[in-house]
Amino acid sequence: MDRSDVLVQHDGRIPKARYTSPEFARLELDRLWSRVWQIACREEELPEPGDFVEYEIGDQSLLVVRGEGGTIAAFHNACLHRGTRLAAGSGCFTEGFMQCRYHAWRYALDGRLTDVVDAHEFTELPEGLRLGAVRAECWGGFVFVNPDPDAEPLLDFLDPLPGLLAPYRLEDLRLRAQLSTVLPANWKSVVDAFNESYHVQGTHPQILPWTDDVSIAYEQLGKHARYGRLAGARRELRPSPRLELSEEEYDEGEILAGLVAGLGGAFLAEERALVEELRAAHLPKGELLPAYQARRLQLLTARGIDVSGFEPDRMTSAEDVYCFPNVVGPIYPGSAILFRSRPLGLDPDRAIHDTWVLEWPRPDAPPRPVTRRDYADWAEHDWGEITNQDYANMAEVQIGMKSAGFDALRLNPRQEANLLHMHRVLDGYLDR
Ligand code: FES
Ligand SMILES: [Fe+2]
């Protein structure tokens, strides 16, 4: 593979090999995944010392462990004797140490090798052996890992997302569901599908009557990006301008109901009731949305939720955030749906795709159980109409990209600017 053939072209075209070539997938593993901060799990998945989560990336397996003192550490998931994977999935080292299943070498939760069976026979074994360390740092309730000992601090990598997202208090969110599946596409195609609104008219035309898919701002932020409705558009309920409807031809109440149906969070039933109540009041045009936003703010405040960081017009608006390299999704006041996509082994044609549904817990109620599901085939599960449509595109993208008649992606310079930015940041890793 000639490197110049796979870099982003001067005219912004994206060579298809970045999505289809096994060599490029290997290059990403060697230069990107081995050096980038990436989300391994949520902190609340590791409540007690000894709790662990395995994180797989490409052909690598990492182990994230809550230690005795409560700190979280990560290791390469391989016994120092003959390499056996130490743990799979998630669980707890209840005895306070990790023991290899094969010859029973033992490791403390901080990775130190503490017990070797028949140690006196290993005359060459050096003192102080420990599992290969991987950096682990937390932000927003997420555990990020990075195998590169020389990587920048996590907060430098994330900048400016932590400041931007501070009012959303991601660290207070709790997992409601974690759904995993495999999609028949490159991991980047999956991320791309959630990083622009340009496809809404082609893929989800049914939502145009209550979605302004055009008045969207795309913004590149450090290595990351976001997109969302323009500030002015947040204060109006209007359909897609593509439908060319006059004001008499659409109903604000229907648009608000459509909008709220897409929100998540612990108080969804109350919020839907609020919409119905306000619709019944037949407010003059232009007053329904501000009224709903003010009431939603009151509702959450009355439930003991701190929404002090939000202007009322943020209450119905998602920050669609892209955290390089592979997490993307809408974040609302009180809830978030985040998608994480990563290569399955070294296969450029398949991605492990995780969906996290997160919400601020009700302060007055006991914690709700987390739904965890793993679907070997994405089509086994109904992900909802919109997401089903997105996933159905994935195989077609991957098959079509391999066509001899297709060389490179031609991105829309405005509406797909976040995708181009992702590729440029990726090239920064591949070039180092
Ligand atoms: S491979 Fe782990 S103890 Fe032998
Ligand atoms: Fe979509």
Side-chain angles (χ1 to χ4, degrees), residues 193-194 199-200 203-204 386 390:
F194 296 97
H199 73 283
V200 167
T203 298
H204 316 298
I386 296 175
D390 289 317

PDB file of all heavy atoms in Angstrom, residues 193-194 199-200 203-204 386 390, ligand 2:
ATOM      1  N   ALA A 193     -22.234   7.837   9.769  1.00  0.00           N
ATOM      2  CA  ALA A 193     -23.698   7.828   9.630  1.00  0.00           C
ATOM      3  C   ALA A 193     -24.381   8.652  10.720  1.00  0.00           C
ATOM      4  O   ALA A 193     -25.548   9.009  10.588  1.00  0.00           O
ATOM      5  CB  ALA A 193     -24.212   6.389   9.666  1.00  0.00           C
ATOM      6  N   PHE A 194     -23.644   8.935  11.810  1.00  0.00           N
ATOM      7  CA  PHE A 194     -24.231   9.704  12.917  1.00  0.00           C
ATOM      8  C   PHE A 194     -23.571  11.066  13.070  1.00  0.00           C
ATOM      9  O   PHE A 194     -23.745  11.726  14.085  1.00  0.00           O
ATOM     10  CB  PHE A 194     -24.119   8.901  14.222  1.00  0.00           C
ATOM     11  CG  PHE A 194     -24.908   7.629  14.187  1.00  0.00           C
ATOM     12  CD1 PHE A 194     -24.300   6.423  13.875  1.00  0.00           C
ATOM     13  CD2 PHE A 194     -26.274   7.641  14.415  1.00  0.00           C
ATOM     14  CE1 PHE A 194     -25.040   5.244  13.820  1.00  0.00           C
ATOM     15  CE2 PHE A 194     -27.015   6.480  14.359  1.00  0.00           C
ATOM     16  CZ  PHE A 194     -26.400   5.270  14.054  1.00  0.00           C
ATOM     17  N   HIS A 199     -27.918  13.219   5.364  1.00  0.00           N
ATOM     18  CA  HIS A 199     -28.601  12.012   4.896  1.00  0.00           C
ATOM     19  C   HIS A 199     -30.066  11.951   5.331  1.00  0.00           C
ATOM     20  O   HIS A 199     -30.794  11.049   4.897  1.00  0.00           O
ATOM     21  CB  HIS A 199     -27.886  10.758   5.397  1.00  0.00           C
ATOM     22  CG  HIS A 199     -28.075  10.499   6.867  1.00  0.00           C
ATOM     23  ND1 HIS A 199     -27.411  11.183   7.839  1.00  0.00           N
ATOM     24  CD2 HIS A 199     -28.888   9.628   7.521  1.00  0.00           C
ATOM     25  CE1 HIS A 199     -27.778  10.735   9.033  1.00  0.00           C
ATOM     26  NE2 HIS A 199     -28.688   9.802   8.869  1.00  0.00           N
ATOM     27  N   VAL A 200     -30.506  12.883   6.176  1.00  0.00           N
ATOM     28  CA  VAL A 200     -31.870  12.782   6.707  1.00  0.00           C
ATOM     29  C   VAL A 200     -32.897  12.769   5.568  1.00  0.00           C
ATOM     30  O   VAL A 200     -33.807  11.941   5.546  1.00  0.00           O
ATOM     31  CB  VAL A 200     -32.144  13.929   7.709  1.00  0.00           C
ATOM     32  CG1 VAL A 200     -33.630  14.028   8.035  1.00  0.00           C
ATOM     33  CG2 VAL A 200     -31.326  13.706   8.980  1.00  0.00           C
ATOM     34  N   THR A 203     -32.486   9.262   3.722  1.00  0.00           N
ATOM     35  CA  THR A 203     -32.653   8.022   4.484  1.00  0.00           C
ATOM     36  C   THR A 203     -33.881   8.052   5.401  1.00  0.00           C
ATOM     37  O   THR A 203     -34.528   7.029   5.601  1.00  0.00           O
ATOM     38  CB  THR A 203     -31.371   7.774   5.311  1.00  0.00           C
ATOM     39  OG1 THR A 203     -30.267   7.609   4.422  1.00  0.00           O
ATOM     40  CG2 THR A 203     -31.498   6.520   6.167  1.00  0.00           C
ATOM     41  N   HIS A 204     -34.166   9.218   5.973  1.00  0.00           N
ATOM     42  CA  HIS A 204     -35.270   9.322   6.949  1.00  0.00           C
ATOM     43  C   HIS A 204     -36.306  10.358   6.506  1.00  0.00           C
ATOM     44  O   HIS A 204     -36.648  11.273   7.270  1.00  0.00           O
ATOM     45  CB  HIS A 204     -34.746   9.754   8.327  1.00  0.00           C
ATOM     46  CG  HIS A 204     -33.496   9.078   8.787  1.00  0.00           C
ATOM     47  ND1 HIS A 204     -33.419   7.722   9.006  1.00  0.00           N
ATOM     48  CD2 HIS A 204     -32.269   9.580   9.112  1.00  0.00           C
ATOM     49  CE1 HIS A 204     -32.193   7.426   9.440  1.00  0.00           C
ATOM     50  NE2 HIS A 204     -31.472   8.525   9.506  1.00  0.00           N
ATOM     51  N   ILE A 386     -35.795   4.938  12.827  1.00  0.00           N
ATOM     52  CA  ILE A 386     -34.730   5.789  12.277  1.00  0.00           C
ATOM     53  C   ILE A 386     -33.402   5.033  12.268  1.00  0.00           C
ATOM     54  O   ILE A 386     -32.681   5.014  11.259  1.00  0.00           O
ATOM     55  CB  ILE A 386     -34.631   7.105  13.089  1.00  0.00           C
ATOM     56  CG1 ILE A 386     -35.921   7.906  12.923  1.00  0.00           C
ATOM     57  CG2 ILE A 386     -33.421   7.918  12.652  1.00  0.00           C
ATOM     58  CD1 ILE A 386     -35.989   9.153  13.776  1.00  0.00           C
ATOM     59  N   ASP A 390     -30.706   3.701   9.344  1.00  0.00           N
ATOM     60  CA  ASP A 390     -29.261   3.976   9.303  1.00  0.00           C
ATOM     61  C   ASP A 390     -28.468   2.679   9.135  1.00  0.00           C
ATOM     62  O   ASP A 390     -27.534   2.605   8.332  1.00  0.00           O
ATOM     63  CB  ASP A 390     -28.811   4.669  10.595  1.00  0.00           C
ATOM     64  CG  ASP A 390     -29.305   6.099  10.691  1.00  0.00           C
ATOM     65  OD1 ASP A 390     -29.232   6.809   9.683  1.00  0.00           O
ATOM     66  OD2 ASP A 390     -29.756   6.495  11.789  1.00  0.00           O
TER      67      ASP A 390
HETATM   68 FE    FE B   2     -29.592   8.677  10.435  1.00  0.00          FE
END
